[in-house]
Structure formats: structure tokens, C-alpha cells
Amino acid sequence: MAGLNALEGAALVIGGIYMLVRGLLGHPESPQQAEMGGLTLIALGLIPLIAARGLLLRRSWSRGPALITQIIGLPVAWTLLRSHGVLIPAGIVLAAVVLTALYQLVRPTTIDELGIRRPGTTPDA
């Protein structure tokens, strides 16, 4: 579960660095847009990376950012699946990763491991 979040975060950071370098050194149509897009992807990639570290350390706060990352990934995967060419396999991979991570994050075992109280339960005394 932490590995899937780290994988997504690393992919976003690598994509952001690529966009940033292309914006700075390449000849994109809009250098400012490429640079800002790269910086945005890098910032967004830090969220699942931080969540992955928290999940590894079994911190209860890490489940929220990890869930949000997966929920955001669903429409991205859907968009890739509805496109053409090489983006369809990328959409399949992303959908598989997102759905697997979502399943892992909502399992009762995961909730217990992170020390999250479920509704209707009393805190341990």
C-alpha cells in the first residue's frame, strides 16, 4: 500500500521534472506553462510520497492524503482510458494501481494497523 503511493508520487515528480526541464531547455509552445506545469506536478507528487512514508510508519494521518490521491487518480485513469494510442495502456496501469491502493486503504485490517477508531467503537482505556 505504501509502495503504491510511493510509486504514484515518484511518477508525478519524474513527470514534473521532465516538464520543467523541457520548459527550461526545450522549445515548448509555452515555456511558462511547461515550467508551471512541471512545478505543479512536483508539488502534487510530494503528497503521495509523504503519505507513503506515513503509511510505512503506521501514522493514522497518512490515510487521508493517500485516499485523496487515489480518488484524484480515478478521473485521470478514466480520461487516459478514453483516449487513443499509447495512453490507453497507461490508463489501464493507473486504474489498476489506483483501485488496488483504494482497496488496501479501506480494508479493516489497514484501519486497525493505522490505529484508526471506527464509528461506534469505544477508545481503548
Side-chain angles (χ1 to χ4, degrees):
M1 164 181 47
L4 293 175
N5 278 277
L7 175 69
E8 290 170 334
L12 284 167
V13 169
I14 290 168
I17 292 170
Y18 174 77
M19 281 181 70
L20 187 59
V21 168
R22 292 272 302 158
L24 293 172
L25 303 178
H27 301 288
E29 206 170 290
S30 172
Q32 293 87 2
Q33 189 175 8
E35 293 162 8
M36 186 54 77
L39 290 173
T40 301
L41 282 180
I42 292 169
L44 288 175
L46 293 177
I47 296 169
L49 287 173
I50 292 168
R53 178 157 167 74
L55 289 169
L56 277 175
L57 298 174
R58 291 191 170 103
R59 305 287 192 245
S60 61
W61 60 263
S62 62
R63 185 171 174 255
L67 279 170
I68 290 168
T69 300
Q70 304 318 315
I71 291 168
I72 290 170
L74 287 172
V76 174
W78 179 254
T79 302
L80 291 173
L81 287 170
R82 301 204 22 106
S83 65
H84 295 86
V86 73
L87 295 179
I88 293 174
I92 292 169
V93 170
L94 180 59
V97 169
V98 166
L99 292 173
T100 302
L102 273 173
Y103 170 74
Q104 293 294 326
L105 287 166
V106 299
R107 286 180 39 214
T109 307
T110 302
I111 294 169
D112 293 339
E113 284 289 321
L114 293 175
I116 298 171
R117 274 191 317 134
R118 292 187 226 164
T121 60
T122 57
D124 295 334

